[in-house]
Amino acid sequence: MRTLMLLLAAGLLAGCQTPLPPVDSNMAWVEFSTPSPGGKLLMAERLDNQRLTDGRFFQVTPGSHELRVRFDFEVFGGGGSLMTGPVERLCYLTIRYDHFEAGQRYRLEGRSLAFTPSARLYNDKREIVAEDREVYCII
């Protein structure tokens, strides 16, 4: 029985570590980053209003696209006192960019200032090319 449980656990862990697909040079690649303190999770939710099965990245055709991401972050001392533990926030941010280019890499950064989340899309020259236009927080 113990062996069966170990095999099951190993199988579950292996499933969580699937490699990213190869980069398609005919598409644009969008990776994620959460550089601000408290950033826990930035994950792809929807591309052009279609739900995605793999939230670790966006790979898009050239042109115009709307990206929706889930951003989980912590607000430290959010309970009104520094003695309180961090408060977790779960937000959805929408970014629209009209000029994705094939073969280019972009970086989408989720940031937070206290309870206010934001997202910026950078090109490979580290220039801001788009910012969130819609933010919806659940908690």
Side-chain angles (χ1 to χ4, degrees), residues 31-139:
E31 60 188 34
F32 303 128
S33 176
T34 55
S36 61
K40 292 177 70 178
L41 173 74
L42 186 61
M43 191 169 202
E45 280 286 321
R46 293 182 176 272
L47 173 61
D48 299 327
N49 212 24
Q50 297 293 313
R51 191 173 237 350
L52 299 174
T53 57
D54 191 340
R56 299 175 293 170
F57 65 96
F58 287 108
Q59 192 164 236
V60 300
T61 57
S64 179
H65 293 284
E66 183 177 272
L67 315 174
R68 183 174 299 152
V69 294
R70 173 184 170 166
F71 182 37
D72 294 8
F73 62 97
E74 293 179 331
V75 178
F76 300 99
S81 165
L82 291 177
M83 300 304 288
T84 330
V87 174
E88 292 194 21
R89 300 269 304 182
L90 186 155
C91 300
Y92 293 92
L93 297 93
T94 303
I95 299 94
R96 180 165 193 84
Y97 183 54
D98 294 328
H99 307 288
F100 282 105
E101 296 179 33
Q104 295 298 308
R105 285 187 167 270
Y106 298 85
R107 175 179 292 259
L108 182 63
E109 289 188 357
R111 298 174 176 264
S112 63
L113 181 60
F115 282 91
T116 307
S118 66
R120 291 179 175 168
L121 182 67
Y122 294 89
N123 63 14
D124 61 350
K125 297 175 188 151
R126 194 76 182 130
E127 301 167 327
I128 299 171
V129 295
E131 295 186 73
D132 60 88
R133 64 180 188 89
E134 185 178 305
V135 175
Y136 175 75
C137 294
I138 296 173
I139 51 175

